[in-house]
């Protein structure tokens, strides 16, 4: 039976960290803050593993323009309510100087179970991510597109890095978040899967043996959503600004549509082994957009600016069809002006050059992040 063509709707989830406006260190949110956000946003906000975090999610959006309006509303509400408690949200995947050992875990059964199951690995989970859902109703098509889209995950990661500092030190990484996250089970690149049936059987094995309660505990970089008829990209660091969030969401949407379009012509993207894709994943995690990725077709490392132009050529038809041209154009600005990590390092270096000590320079990064959170609101 023929399936209707997907409409490639998108949904964006972002996790924010909450800082004390005076000390600029992480601070646990009072329950009243969380209750107010959840009430005002009618279920589009929820607590996270740590009490200094809050997660928001857009409704189903047909376009990136719709997603922009949603994110403006969600970010504005969180920032306004946080201000009543002398708190400010930042959208960075690691806090520049706060220590994970000082954080309080959210007192909910789900998180108590996680704390028990993950032990010491889970205690360090002081990280925030960004997830992009793309609507694909047909289950086998979700798996087929996942297998192909996996190739582009390092490209998205490279542009998204916003976690260079960890507990007051520059890690040298563009995305230190993944270094922490990869210690968890069931993470990393998804395996090659032949069908929805094969995926379900694998999940059922873990559920039936009591290892996990459902597929929401599968934390791959790209997965079929446990709740929605979507594929969910989880590779990206959360973005300091709405503009870069939408650039990455739009590219994810357009790449998915491009791969679907190839299938309509009996074509597909070449599948590469995870061993090779993982090398690009590491390069993206380490260098961001600064050292290039391997183009496996060309058999050489290409500058990221060149790779991005190749992607723009691939998705030109799709960006017009989905009306994302202006939003994905911001990706060129990421190449020219640097990722969130590059910008945090620039703030730090400017502070040191101005004679500030390390602690004050790190606080300057947080100040910049609190201002960036409001850009475009």
């Amino acid at each position: 039976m023929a399936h209707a063509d997907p409409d490639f709707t998108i949904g964006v989830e972002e996790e924010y960290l909450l800082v004390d406006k005076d000390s600029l260190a992480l601070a646990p949110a009072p329950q009243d803050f969380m209750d107010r956000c959840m009430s005002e946003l009618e279920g589009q906000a929820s607590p996270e593993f740590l009490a200094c975090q809050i997660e928001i999610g857009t409704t189903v959006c047909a376009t990136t323009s719709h997603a922009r309006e949603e994110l403006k509303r969600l970010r504005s509400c969180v920032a306004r309510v946080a201000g009543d408690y002398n708190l400010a949200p930042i959208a960075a995947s690691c806090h520049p100087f706060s220590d994970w050992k000082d954080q309080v875990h959210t007192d909910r059964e789900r998180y108590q179970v996680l704390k028990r199951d993950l032990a010491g690995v889970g205690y360090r989970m002081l990280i925030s991510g960004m997830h992009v859902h793309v609507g694909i109703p047909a289950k086998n098509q979700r798996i087929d597109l996942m297998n192909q889209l996996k190739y582009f995950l390092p490209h998205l990661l490279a542009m998204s890095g916003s976690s260079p500092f960890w507990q007051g030190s520059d890690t040298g990484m563009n995305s230190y978040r993944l270094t922490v996250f990869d210690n968890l089970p069931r993470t990393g690149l998804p395996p090659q899967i032949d069908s929805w049936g094969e995926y379900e059987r694998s999940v059922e094995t873990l559920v039936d043996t009591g290892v996990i309660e459902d597929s929401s505990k599968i934390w791959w970089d790209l997965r079929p959503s446990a709740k929605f008829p979507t594929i969910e990209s989880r590779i990206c660091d959360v973005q300091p600004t709405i503009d870069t969030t939408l650039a990455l969401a739009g590219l994810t949407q357009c790449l998915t549509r491009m791969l679907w379009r190839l299938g309509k012509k009996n074509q597909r993207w070449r599948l590469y082994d995870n061993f090779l894709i993982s090398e690009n994943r590491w390069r993206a995690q380490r260098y961001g957009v600064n050292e290039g990725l391997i183009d496996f077709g060309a058999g050489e490392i290409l500058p990221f600016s060149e790779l991005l132009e190749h992607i723009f050529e691939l998705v030109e038809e799709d960006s017009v069809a989905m009306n994302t041209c202006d939003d994905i154009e911001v990706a060129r600005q990421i190449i020219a002006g640097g990722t969130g990590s590059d910008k945090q390092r620039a703030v730090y270096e400017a502070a040191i050059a101005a004679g500030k000590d390390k602690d004050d320079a790190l606080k300057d990064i947080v100040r910049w992040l609190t201002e960036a959170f409001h850009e475009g609101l």
Side-chain angles (χ1 to χ4, degrees):
M1 184 175 120
H3 292 285
D5 290 346
D7 50 16
F8 304 100
T9 53
I10 56 171
V12 180
E13 297 167 342
E14 293 186 313
E15 297 163 344
Y16 308 139
L17 295 169
L18 298 163
V19 301
D20 179 272
K21 284 189 172 183
D22 298 322
S23 70
L24 301 173
L26 289 174
Q31 186 59 48
D32 189 48
F33 160 80
M34 195 63 66
D35 290 343
R36 284 179 59 188
C37 286
M38 291 170 72
S39 173
E40 287 196 37
L41 297 175
E42 299 178 339
Q44 286 182 257
S46 60
E48 258 300 328
F49 186 50
L50 295 175
C52 60
Q53 286 177 296
I54 183 171
E55 180 178 14
I56 59 87
T58 69
T59 56
V60 178
C61 300
T63 63
T64 49
S65 296
H66 183 190
R68 179 181 294 278
E69 294 309 308
E70 281 281 288
L71 287 171
K72 285 167 66 173
R73 179 174 61 84
L74 294 165
R75 284 196 177 206
S76 296
C77 176
V78 171
R80 175 174 49 78
V81 176
D84 291 343
Y85 302 90
N86 200 43
L87 299 173
I90 60 172
S93 281
C94 293
H95 188 276
F97 62 83
S98 283
D99 194 320
W100 60 265
K101 292 187 287 294
D102 299 333
Q103 305 313 311
V104 179
H105 291 85
T106 301
D107 188 16
R108 278 195 171 190
E109 184 181 356
R110 167 183 168 83
Y111 299 121
Q112 297 299 345
V113 170
L114 273 178
K115 188 176 175 182
R116 181 199 70 208
D117 289 350
L118 299 176
V121 171
Y123 298 157
R124 296 195 311 137
M125 287 282 290
L126 185 54
I127 55 176
S128 295
M130 161 191 166
H131 306 157
V132 179
H133 292 258
V134 181
I136 308 290
K139 293 177 177 178
N140 275 321
Q141 196 168 61
R142 272 177 241 164
I143 299 299
D144 184 48
L145 290 172
M146 249 180 58
N147 286 333
Q148 298 175 74
L149 185 60
K150 178 167 60 174
Y151 179 89
F152 295 99
L153 293 177
H155 302 72
L156 296 167
L157 171 63
M159 291 184 280
S160 80
S162 70
S163 48
F165 292 89
W166 178 254
Q167 299 191 151
S169 296
D170 188 336
T171 65
M173 309 290 286
N174 203 254
S175 173
Y176 189 73
R177 161 185 150 265
L178 275 194
T179 307
V180 177
F181 196 67
D182 283 349
N183 285 286
L184 270 60
R186 303 177 295 280
T187 55
L189 294 169
Q192 186 77 19
I193 305 169
D194 290 335
S195 67
W196 181 264
E198 181 189 343
Y199 172 70
E200 278 198 319
R201 286 190 296 274
S202 297
V203 172
E204 284 168 8
T205 298
L206 297 186
V207 172
D208 291 347
T209 54
V211 174
I212 57 176
E213 65 266 29
D214 57 48
S215 63
S216 69
K217 294 297 191 299
I218 295 170
W219 297 309
W220 296 331
D221 297 336
L222 180 66
R223 69 179 185 184
S225 170
K227 294 194 293 184
F228 307 112
T230 65
I231 53 176
E232 178 188 5
S233 170
R234 303 163 52 81
I235 190 74
C236 290
D237 277 12
V238 68
Q239 296 304 288
T241 68
I242 284 179
D243 280 352
T244 49
T245 297
L246 292 165
L248 293 165
L251 280 170
T252 304
Q253 181 187 40
C254 288
L255 284 166
T256 306
R257 187 182 186 279
M258 179 271 294
L259 295 169
W260 164 81
R261 188 164 47 79
L262 287 181
K264 295 282 278 188
K265 301 174 184 175
N266 287 317
Q267 299 171 351
R268 63 185 294 108
W269 197 259
R270 182 176 173 183
L271 302 182
Y272 290 90
D273 190 271
N274 277 5
F275 173 72
L276 292 176
I277 299 174
S278 290
E279 196 62 33
N280 268 346
R281 185 183 188 269
W282 162 252
R283 292 185 65 83
Q285 189 178 345
R286 170 70 176 86
Y287 302 113
V289 298
N290 298 316
E291 294 290 336
L293 300 179
I294 305 165
D295 183 310
F296 294 113
E300 59 181 322
I301 295 172
L302 295 181
F304 201 89
S305 57
E306 195 172 325
L307 293 171
L308 183 63
E309 293 310 315
H310 290 173
I311 288 174
F312 276 156
E313 288 173 21
L314 287 170
V315 303
E316 182 177 7
E317 178 180 329
D318 310 285
S319 62
V320 171
M322 302 310 298
N323 197 26
T324 61
C325 298
D326 290 344
D327 285 318
I328 67 173
E329 178 67 28
V330 172
R332 285 197 176 99
Q333 296 173 25
I334 298 174
I335 309 306
T339 63
S341 285
D342 294 324
K343 290 180 177 179
Q344 288 179 52
R345 287 191 172 106
V347 169
Y348 180 84
E349 288 161 8
I352 294 296
K356 294 186 178 181
D357 65 18
K358 175 184 174 182
D359 289 346
D360 284 340
L362 290 167
K363 287 181 179 179
D364 274 3
I365 298 173
V366 183
R367 290 188 186 96
W368 176 77
L369 287 167
T370 60
E371 292 166 5
F373 188 90
H374 291 84
E375 283 186 23
L377 297 187

